[in-house]
Structures are given as structure tokens and as C-alpha cells.
Amino acid sequence: KTRSIVTGTGSFLPERVLTNADLAKIVETSDEWITQRTGIEERHIAGEGEFTSHLALKAARAALESAGRTEADIDLIVLATATPDNTFPATAVAVQDMLGMHHGMAFDMQAVCSGFVYAMATADLFITAGRARRALVIGAETFSRILDWQDRTTCVLFGDGAGAVVLESSEEEDGPQGRGILGSQLRSEGQHKSKLYVDGGPGSTGTVGHLRMEGRDVFRHAVGMVSDVIDGVLSEVGLTPDDIDWFVPHQANKRIIDATARKFGWPDEKVVATIAKHGNTSAASIPLALDVACRDGRISKGDIVMLEAMGGGFTWGAVVVRW
Ligand code: ACO
């Protein structure tokens, strides 16, 4: 049986750093409020003319290099983003073009903050169905462009960045000890669509619009929803929480991450948390965190890694991978 194994990771953060102290000069807020409520200390902000595709390209190149591959080896690009360069074409084809690729297929995945989990699950289906051999799975966002910088309840939470992994088909990894994506669960519930949305787009104002969120409501649903899919994926693949070596959650709020980890008995040492330095980078947060934890030597070959996210829609999901 074919498995999709992760062979490389990469990430990129824009140069400009915006601290909580910087934000306190823009809106009525404080470092203390932001740190206590969210765990965020600073975030990166894309420069003028620096778009989602540019961040994605740099993360993709780094992932290819770490996998020892080039664009010639890739036949699928799935790019998770809610902040595409243009309404269409997909940002994924912009990346394909900048990589100089003239073969294969590329498309965007729109599941907001759950986008990377959706993209991993989708690329895995293409690979295990024999429709693709090697995929670049990218999460890239420039949320700074859809924030209302006068709304302190949202503008303090988000940052820009990109992360990517190379996912490859392997026939040698079958069986319980085999590497690769072991299982995934995706969910959505559209009745919550107005709790976290952008108030623009071709079907409404015709402008790009701004992110709007009922933060308290999102928070209230978050832990229960992600716990359900983590439970679901664990039982699907026959693992228990103790089998998990690394918990790499979507980085939205430190309190959500901590509460989820506590529920499954995962100590801080098993939790990869980058929220303090990255903020919430939506679909980019998981691959950014993965790249940090792979490069600093925490995640290594054979480790079992639980990825999980929840976002606008609501959408949510979990993927478990033996690295
Ligand atoms: N600085 C100072 N005060 C603030 C700020 C701010 N930046 N923002 C809000 N406040 C005030 C509010 O006005 C409110 O004042 P009031 O009591 O006088 O009305 C008070 O602080 C408390 O506000 P709450 O909204 O109740 O604060 P809460 O503890 O719920 O924290 C937060 C807010 C951080 C947004 C939290 O609800 C949260 O993290 N929610 C989940 C959001 C999330 O994870 N979104 C992303 C998930 S999906 C995705 O990633 C796209």
C-alpha cells in the first residue's frame, strides 16, 4: 500500500517585526493584555509589494532543499491560503510559475486557519490514489492585508508568514511501524460562518474587506471541536494520546493550545508552540511550527506528530503523521 511521507520542511517570515508595544501605539491595548489573553508577543508583517505568493515561494524553496528535491520532482502543489494574491488565478499557480514548473497541477485550498490540515489530507489522497508522486503542500498568508487596524479585538492577533512540506509517495512504509500520514479527519459546520469572516469579496461589497470575529464565541467552540477530531483520528489509526511524540496545533491562542494539550495529557515539552513570536498566521501556522521543530532537532524520523486546526467556517481537522 502507498503511503505519503514527509521528506522536507521549509518556512519564511517577512523581515518586519511588529511587537505588542508597537501595537499599543496604534490602538488602545497593552503588551500585558495581549500576552495574558493570547500568548502573543510579536508577529511578522509583509512589506509593501510582498504578497502571499512571495512568502510561499521562499518556504517552498526551503522545503525542496531540505528534501533534496527540485521543482522537476514535484507534480502537485496544494497551497492553503485565505489571503490569495488575486481572487483568481490560484496563488498556487503563481508559485508554480515562479518555480519555473511547466508540468503537474497546482491549486489553492480555502479552509482558512484549517487550510494546511485540509491541504495535507487532500495531497495524501492524491498520492495514495496514485494520482501524484510528490507534492509541495504550502500554507501561506498575509492576514495583515485584511485586518482592520483600528479594531483592537482582532488586529493584535494575526501575523504573516509561510511554511511548506514536501510529501512523497512511498511503497516501503506500509504496516504499523511505517512512516507517513497515518490518518486524518476533516470537519466543517457552516452554521457558524458569520462568527469569523471577511466582510468583503465579489459577492458582497466588491472590496477586499476586513476580518470580523466574535472572539469569545470562537474560543468557546475551539477546544471541544479540535478534541473531537483528535479523538477521532486517534481511534481511526489505533493510537492513544500517550503514543503522540509531538503536538503541533494551529497557533491561534496559547490558552486554546494549553487547554487542548491538558485534555490529552500532553506536557509542555511535547507541545510545539510558536505563537509568541509568530502570532496567528492562519494556514501558515502549522507548517511554520513544523519547520521550527524539525530544524531545532525536536521532531525527528519515526516520531508520531499530531497536527490540528480550527478556523473560519467553522472548519476543523486533525492529521497524524509518523515523521
Ligand atoms: N487590548 C485591550 N483590551 C482589549 C483588546 C485589546 N487588544 N481586545 C479586547 N479588549 C477588551 C474588550 O473590549 C473587553 O472589554 P470589556 O470587558 O470592557 O468589554 C475585554 O478586553 C475582554 O474581551 P473578551 O473578548 O472577553 O476577551 P477574551 O478573554 O475572550 O479574549 C480573544 C479575546 C483573545 C480574542 C479570545 O476570545 C480568543 O482568543 N478567541 C479565539 C480567537 C481565535 O482563536 N481566533 C482564531 C481561530 S480561527 C483562526 O485562526 C482564523
Side-chain angles (χ1 to χ4, degrees):
K1 199 174 148 262
T2 305
R3 282 272 181 86
S4 313
I5 63 168
V6 178
T7 57
T9 64
S11 64
F12 179 77
L13 290 161
E15 200 179 309
R16 183 176 160 220
V17 172
L18 190 70
T19 65
N20 291 348
D22 295 332
L23 274 166
K25 292 176 204 149
I26 304 171
V27 287
E28 187 69 38
T29 190
S30 66
D31 177 42
E32 196 194 359
W33 192 96
I34 301 171
T35 319
Q36 279 183 2
R37 302 279 178 139
T38 72
I40 300 167
E41 295 163 12
E42 56 188 44
R43 70 289 287 144
H44 292 250
I45 302 291
E48 212 181 310
E50 192 176 34
F51 300 125
T52 295
S53 64
H54 302 129
L55 310 187
L57 176 69
K58 287 182 171 143
R61 287 213 164 113
L64 285 171
E65 194 184 328
S66 93
R69 297 287 183 191
T70 71
E71 57 278 2
D73 302 314
I74 300 298
D75 53 10
L76 169 66
I77 300 174
V78 188
L79 190 153
T81 190
T83 46
D85 291 10
N86 300 96
T87 302
F88 76 79
T91 302
V93 302
V95 172
Q96 181 188 27
D97 179 44
M98 288 189 284
L99 283 171
M101 255 175 84
H102 301 285
H103 63 276
M105 56 190 146
F107 58 87
D108 285 0
M109 182 67 57
Q110 163 53 297
V112 205
C113 298
S114 311
F116 186 76
V117 166
Y118 269 65
M120 284 288 270
T122 303
D124 179 46
L125 291 175
F126 272 89
I127 287 171
T128 55
R131 300 303 172 101
R133 283 201 60 78
R134 295 190 199 95
L136 261 172
V137 185
I138 308 169
E141 302 276 18
T142 46
F143 261 51
S144 62
R145 293 210 167 78
I146 54 164
L147 295 176
D148 176 350
W149 287 98
Q150 276 156 16
D151 175 12
R152 67 174 183 176
T153 69
T154 53
C155 76
V156 303
L157 301 174
F158 297 91
D160 300 338
V165 305
V166 175
L167 210 54
E168 306 197 15
S169 157
S170 169
E171 273 82 47
E172 290 135 42
E173 303 286 349
D174 200 16
Q177 294 308 313
R179 295 171 62 213
I181 293 182
L182 306 178
S184 62
Q185 292 227 333
L186 305 179
R187 287 279 292 114
S188 67
E189 180 51 87
Q191 69 164 315
H192 299 297
K193 63 186 186 299
S194 60
K195 293 189 177 118
L196 176 49
Y197 71 106
V198 172
D199 62 359
S204 57
T205 58
T207 60
V208 172
H210 292 121
L211 180 147
R212 304 295 174 201
M213 178 169 75
E214 291 170 34
R216 229 174 291 186
D217 243 8
V218 177
F219 198 104
R220 207 163 49 78
H221 285 90
V223 180
M225 284 179 161
V226 299
S227 298
D228 277 352
V229 284
I230 292 171
D231 269 333
V233 82
L234 283 172
S235 63
E236 175 192 318
V237 301
L239 295 175
T240 69
D242 287 346
D243 296 319
I244 301 301
D245 296 300
W246 301 104
F247 178 47
V248 187
H250 169 49
Q251 313 278 318
N253 185 310
K254 187 71 167 58
R255 286 149 62 205
I256 297 175
I257 295 173
D258 288 347
T260 310
R262 226 176 297 128
K263 218 167 155 174
F264 289 92
W266 295 319
D268 286 351
E269 305 83 68
K270 284 190 172 191
V271 179
V272 179
T274 50
I275 182 149
K277 301 294 170 198
H278 298 174
N280 180 348
T281 58
S282 182
S285 89
I286 292 174
L288 267 162
L290 283 172
D291 191 43
V292 167
C294 286
R295 283 174 199 266
D296 70 18
R298 273 181 286 176
I299 299 177
S300 53
K301 225 173 173 174
D303 287 352
I304 301 183
V305 182
M306 176 65 76
L307 316 178
E308 151 274 290
M310 181 251 186
F314 294 146
T315 55
W316 65 106
V319 174
V320 66
V321 188
R322 192 189 297 271
W323 215 254

